[in-house]
Amino acid sequence: MAPTLGKRKRITREQFEQPSRSPSPSPSLESDHSNRDDMQDIFRRAFEARFKPLDAEPKKQKITQEPESGKEELDGESDWSGISSEDDVEVVECTSARLAGDRASKAEMRAFMSSKPPFSTHQIHPQSTKPKKVEGDRDDPSETLHLKNDLALQRLLRDSHLLSSASVSASSGISTPALSLTGSQRHRSTDLHLLTLGAKSSVHTQKNMPMAHRKGIIAKAKQREDKRRAEARENGVILEKAVKVKKYMREREKGVGGPGVGRFRGGTLSLSKNDLRDITRGGGSGRGKEKEKRGRR
Amino acid sequence: MADEASQPLLKFTGHRHLTTRLILSTLTGRPIKISQIRSSSPTHPGLAPPEVNLLRLLDSITNGSTTEFSMTGTTLVYRPGLITGSAEGLGASGGVIRHVLGKECGMRGVSWWLIPLCILAPFAKSQVNVVFYGEGVVTSATPSGDVSVDSVRTAILPIYKSFGIDRNIELRVLKRSCAAKAGAEGGEVQLVFGHQVRLPKTLHLLNPGRVKRIRGVAYAVGVSGSNNARMIDTARGVLNAFVPDTYIFSDVSSAPLISNKDKTNPSIKRKAGIGFGISLVAESSTGCLYSADLASPPEGGTPPEDIGKQCAYQLLEVISQGGCASKVAASTMLILMAMGSEDVGRLQMGRDVVGSEEVVQLGRDLVAFGASSWGLRDVMGEKGDGSEGIVVSVVGRGVGNVGRKVA
C-alpha cells in the first residue's frame, strides 16, 4: 500500500542492485531483441529499395528502447561505487512536513469547521470554472434555425388548445384548422404569451362589474379553495401553503383642523404610549429627527 | 399498559450495551426489562448517573414512554413511546430541548448521548433540536473511550448521507471543554437534526476504496494555541508520508466558566475543562470514513507531540482494520440498515470490527428484538483467503418511522 509510495527511490535502490550483480536472463533477452531489430532493418532496406521509404514507427521504437534504457540505468548504478560506507542507506525522517502552499484554502476550512457535517461529495473548487462559450455554435446558421423552430414549436404547444377549440367551433365549414391564429384567437394567444412573460393579469379579465358580481366571484373562489383544503386535510394530504394576500393599508389621511397628535374621540383627546414618548423625549438627538420623519402617528 | 399483553417484556441482564438496547427498544416499540444491573457491585450497584441521564433524554424526546426502576436501581423496565423530537409543548421551549448533564455525568463525553440521539432522530415525528449544557458536558475525547464532538460531526454524521438523510443536520459546539478530573467541565453542544425520513435507504457498501485524504481538528481549550500547532505538526509528520492531502485545522477557545460553589461569594467563577486534543478523519475514495480521537488526560502531564503522534497511529490502526465501517460507526450503520426497507443491504467490514464485542452483541440484540439475523460471508478479494473482510447482509425491518405519515 501507501508506505512504499513516499520512499520509492530509497527502497528500490537495493532491489535494483541485486539483479545487476546476479546474472539474469535479461542479457539473452536483450540480444534477442537486437537480433530481431537487425533482421527488421534488413527487411526494411529491401522494402525501401523497391517501394517508397517507410516512415518511422514511434510506438515500435518505444517498446524496443524501454529495456535498453533500463539496462543503461542499471549499468550506471552498478558502475558507480557510491559513497563507500558499510552502513545501510540512511533514512531521513522528514517530520516537519510544511511544504509551500500546503495551507488549506479558506473555503475548505470554512466548510470543514462549520457546524454542518462535511459531506464527502461536497467538493470545493477554489477556481470557479465558468463554462466556456462555444464560438462555433453562433456562426452555424442551422443552429439559429433550430432555435427559431424550437421557439415556434413551444409557442404552438402552448396555443394548441386554442387551435383545437377553434377547430371544434368552426367544424361545420373548415375541417383542418389553420396553424396561424386569426382574430380573437390571436388576441388570446398574445394574452397567454404575456402571462408567461410575467404579466400581472390577463387582458381579458373584466375590470368593471357590479360590486355584487365581484363579491360573488371572490366568495365563490374562496369557498372552493377552503373546500379543497378541508378535504385535503381530512385525507391527510399535505397541500402547498396558503398564500395570504396582504391588504395594503395606506396611512389614513387625517382631516383638516384635527389634532396633530393622539386621537380625538368622544370629545376627549387620547394619547397613546407612543405619542407620550414622542412628546416627552423631545427633539435634539438624531434619532428623534428620524422619528419625526416617519410622520404622524 | 394495553400493549403489554400482545408484546411481552423483552428481558436482558447486565449493564453492558444498555444504550443499544434502549435505542432498539425505542425504534421497534418493544418494552424491555433489564435486570441485574451492576448487582454484584458492593459500592455502586444499579444504574450509573449517565445512564439515568440518558433515560431522561429519551423521555424528553419521546411522548408516552415510561421508565420504572427498582429500589436499588438494578432493575429497569422501559416502555418506549413515540419519538416526537423537539415538538412544542412536550418539553421543548421555542423548538429546543435544553438537556442538562450534571456534574456526575462528566465521566462520559457528550458523544455518548449524541450518537444514540442521532440514530433516533431520523425516525422522529418532528425535527430534533437538543442543547446539551451543564457541568457534565465534555466535548473532547475522554479516557472512557468516547469520541469527541468533532469526530461525531465529521465521521458519524456524514454516514447518514448514504442513507438518504442529509438535509438540515447541524452539530454546533457552543462551548468547548475537555475532560477534567473533578468532572466539572461545562461545555455546550447543540444538535439539530431536521431531516426525518420514513425509511432510510438500503445501503450497499462493498468497496472500501483507498484513503485519499485526511482531515482533522485540533482543539485547545483554555490553554495555549501552540499546543495545537505541536499536535498538528507531529500528526502530519506521521501521516504525510502516506497521504499528502492531509490538513488539520486548529481551533483555540477559552475555557468555559463555571460557578465556584462558594457560598461566601456565589458570583465568582472558575475556569473548567481545560486541555487539548485532536480528532482525525480519513476519507477513502469511495466515501468510507475512519476516525481517531485523542485528548490530553485529565491529570495532564502529556506533551502535545505525544497526543498528536498517538492519534495518528490510532488512525492508521483504524484504517488497517479495513472495511467500510469503523468500530465507532459500525453500530450506527448496522442499526440504520436494520431499520431500513425490507430489502437486503450489504456492508463490508473488517474482521476485527465484526468480531468486536459491540457488533456481535448488537447482532444478538437485533435478533432478540425480532429482526432477522445477519448473513456473513468472506470477501473473495485478490488474495481469496477472506482476509479483506466480511460482508454483512442485513435485512431491513420495513417498519421505519411510525410517526411519519406518507403525504
Side-chain angles (χ1 to χ4, degrees):
Chain A
M1 221 190 93
T4 51
L5 282 180
K7 312 240 157 76
R8 176 164 286 173
K9 252 193 181 151
R10 296 262 161 85
I11 289 162
T12 48
R13 180 183 290 171
E14 285 170 301
Q15 291 167 349
F16 270 154
E17 273 174 329
Q18 272 182 338
S20 67
R21 280 189 206 124
S22 61
S24 63
S26 63
S28 66
L29 205 88
E30 289 302 324
S31 63
D32 207 342
H33 263 295
S34 57
N35 273 347
R36 213 189 296 156
D37 276 3
D38 290 346
M39 291 272 279
Q40 278 207 335
D41 231 342
I42 294 163
F43 279 130
R44 186 197 175 107
R45 256 176 271 141
F47 183 84
E48 281 176 358
R50 289 196 72 169
F51 302 103
K52 266 197 275 183
L54 288 169
D55 40 350
E57 298 150 306
K59 199 180 169 193
K60 184 76 194 161
Q61 273 181 344
K62 215 178 234 171
I63 290 167
T64 51
Q65 263 178 7
E66 224 166 22
E68 212 117 83
S69 66
K71 191 189 168 198
E72 270 170 23
E73 215 174 86
L74 291 187
D75 286 348
E77 198 84 51
S78 55
D79 283 347
W80 183 63
S81 54
I83 302 160
S84 55
S85 64
E86 271 65 57
D87 299 8
D88 276 345
V89 176
E90 191 187 347
V91 176
V92 180
E93 198 176 340
C94 181
T95 46
S96 64
R98 291 244 170 227
L99 307 165
D102 73 348
R103 279 285 164 104
S105 71
K106 206 152 198 185
E108 190 173 4
M109 171 162 178
R110 225 174 288 132
F112 191 81
M113 296 295 282
S114 75
S115 59
K116 298 235 166 76
F119 290 127
S120 54
T121 49
H122 188 248
Q123 296 282 357
I124 295 119
H125 298 290
Q127 289 93 16
S128 63
T129 48
K130 278 183 186 170
K132 280 177 188 169
K133 281 179 189 167
V134 185
E135 279 301 310
D137 285 6
R138 189 155 304 166
D139 307 333
D140 200 356
S142 69
E143 200 63 31
T144 50
L145 196 71
H146 284 323
L147 212 67
K148 222 175 184 176
N149 285 342
D150 217 32
L151 279 175
L153 181 67
Q154 272 179 16
R155 186 159 191 160
L156 186 66
L157 285 174
R158 195 179 58 234
D159 301 345
S160 56
H161 66 283
L162 290 178
L163 286 169
S164 68
S165 72
S167 73
V168 166
S169 64
S171 58
S172 56
I174 314 149
S175 57
T176 52
L179 283 177
S180 56
L181 296 157
T182 52
S184 64
Q185 300 295 337
R186 189 169 59 82
H187 281 302
R188 248 180 242 173
S189 163
T190 319
D191 182 38
L192 278 177
H193 198 181
L194 282 175
L195 283 177
T196 53
L197 288 176
K200 287 265 165 55
S201 64
S202 165
V203 180
H204 298 293
T205 46
Q206 196 176 347
K207 268 182 202 150
N208 298 320
M209 65 174 91
M211 190 194 263
H213 275 199
R214 191 182 295 284
K215 275 185 180 167
I217 288 170
I218 292 169
K220 183 71 184 174
K222 189 168 179 297
Q223 184 197 336
R224 246 187 233 129
E225 175 67 10
D226 286 349
K227 196 180 163 199
R228 188 175 73 97
R229 290 206 169 268
E231 273 178 1
R233 204 180 313 122
E234 278 164 17
N235 296 333
V237 180
I238 293 162
L239 284 182
E240 79 279 356
K241 271 191 182 153
V243 180
K244 279 194 180 146
V245 182
K246 249 194 181 173
K247 260 191 181 172
Y248 176 61
M249 292 288 282
R250 213 189 334 172
E251 205 163 279
R252 193 168 56 90
E253 284 285 318
K254 288 186 178 174
V256 180
V261 67
R263 51 203 309 226
F264 198 77
R265 229 177 167 192
T268 52
L269 180 71
S270 47
L271 299 176
S272 70
K273 269 186 185 161
N274 274 341
D275 290 333
L276 276 179
R277 209 176 51 220
D278 282 356
I279 294 162
T280 51
R281 191 186 283 163
S285 70
R287 283 191 77 94
K289 259 184 191 168
E290 226 177 276
K291 270 266 162 68
E292 273 175 12
K293 258 187 210 167
R294 256 198 266 165
R296 295 174 296 179
R297 242 170 256 269
Chain B
M1 278 220 130
D3 60 342
E4 196 149 310
S6 60
Q7 285 190 322
L9 291 169
L10 287 174
K11 293 195 173 66
F12 295 100
T13 52
H15 71 279
R16 319 203 69 180
H17 317 290
L18 181 86
T19 324
T20 8
R21 285 164 182 169
L22 287 174
I23 293 170
L24 289 176
S25 162
T26 315
L27 286 174
T28 56
R30 298 286 302 268
I32 54 170
K33 177 182 181 175
I34 303 171
S35 52
Q36 294 174 36
I37 303 170
R38 297 195 186 90
S39 52
S40 57
S41 165
T43 49
H44 299 290
L47 289 165
E51 290 159 0
V52 177
N53 198 286
L54 181 72
L55 281 164
R56 276 191 36 233
L57 176 66
L58 286 178
D59 187 50
S60 60
I61 65 155
T62 55
N63 185 18
S65 55
T66 56
T67 318
E68 292 164 24
F69 303 110
S70 69
M71 282 293 274
T72 49
T74 51
T75 308
L76 160 77
V77 176
Y78 175 70
R79 294 193 182 82
L82 206 65
I83 310 168
T84 50
S86 304
E88 198 63 45
L90 292 165
S93 59
V96 184
I97 290 175
R98 286 184 65 79
H99 186 79
V100 65
L101 302 184
K103 194 178 170 188
E104 68 280 359
C105 300
M107 58 175 100
R108 309 300 312 230
V110 74
S111 61
W112 193 75
W113 284 264
L114 281 173
I115 294 172
L117 183 60
C118 287
I119 297 175
L120 293 180
F123 302 96
K125 199 171 157 77
S126 60
Q127 78 160 2
V128 171
N129 191 340
V130 181
V131 175
F132 291 92
Y133 71 105
E135 290 188 9
V137 178
V138 188
T139 64
S140 75
T142 57
S144 53
D146 297 311
V147 297
S148 71
V149 174
D150 298 283
S151 285
V152 174
R153 183 172 61 81
T154 55
I156 307 264
L157 288 182
I159 292 170
Y160 286 83
K161 189 184 167 59
S162 45
F163 291 98
I165 306 165
D166 53 351
R167 277 185 281 114
N168 199 6
I169 301 174
E170 275 185 59
L171 183 56
R172 296 195 194 105
V173 187
L174 306 173
K175 264 186 229 162
R176 281 187 184 275
S177 62
C178 284
K181 235 181 188 174
E185 288 94 2
E188 202 168 331
V189 179
Q190 182 177 21
L191 173 76
V192 182
F193 206 109
H195 193 171
Q196 274 68 38
V197 290
R198 229 194 78 63
L199 280 171
K201 280 184 188 158
T202 312
L203 188 74
H204 297 284
L205 267 181
L206 295 172
N207 183 13
R210 295 300 194 92
V211 172
K212 67 170 178 183
R213 70 166 133 211
I214 295 174
R215 293 286 177 273
V217 179
Y219 44 88
V221 185
V223 293
S224 161
S226 66
N227 289 309
N228 275 353
R230 288 161 71 183
M231 277 189 290
I232 291 169
D233 214 46
T234 42
R236 286 193 58 153
V238 175
L239 296 171
N240 251 21
F242 304 111
V243 184
D245 188 5
T246 302
Y247 293 121
I248 302 167
F249 302 101
S250 161
D251 188 289
V252 185
S253 57
S254 54
L257 296 168
I258 61 168
S259 166
N260 208 8
K261 298 272 167 61
D262 190 1
K263 273 182 187 158
T264 53
N265 194 357
S267 65
I268 203 163
K269 305 263 173 131
R270 66 183 170 89
K271 286 181 179 175
I274 59 168
F276 51 85
I278 187 168
S279 141
L280 294 172
V281 177
E283 189 192 334
S284 80
S285 51
T286 53
C288 302
L289 296 167
Y290 308 95
S291 67
D293 251 294
L294 203 66
S296 58
E299 57 272 13
T302 315
E305 280 85 3
D306 286 6
I307 301 282
K309 200 170 197 173
Q310 271 186 40
C311 191
Y313 287 151
Q314 197 187 328
L315 182 70
L316 294 180
E317 191 194 338
V318 172
I319 292 171
S320 74
Q321 287 170 353
C324 300
S326 59
K327 255 179 205 170
V328 180
S331 61
T332 301
M333 290 181 107
L334 289 167
I335 290 176
L336 281 175
M337 285 169 85
M339 292 299 135
S341 57
E342 274 181 305
D343 198 358
V344 183
R346 290 168 299 168
L347 178 66
Q348 184 188 331
M349 292 161 85
R351 283 183 169 273
D352 291 341
V353 180
V354 177
S356 66
E357 193 190 335
E358 294 89 43
V359 175
V360 170
Q361 188 59 41
L362 175 66
R364 287 178 185 158
D365 285 349
L366 274 170
V367 171
F369 276 99
S372 48
S373 45
W374 296 338
L376 304 176
R377 68 174 167 82
D378 285 336
V379 178
M380 281 306 138
E382 292 146 19
K383 290 173 201 159
D385 56 351
S387 63
E388 280 91 350
I390 292 175
V391 173
V392 182
S393 311
V394 183
V395 183
R397 236 173 109 256
V399 176
N401 195 340
V402 271
R404 198 151 185 88
K405 205 162 33 175
V406 191

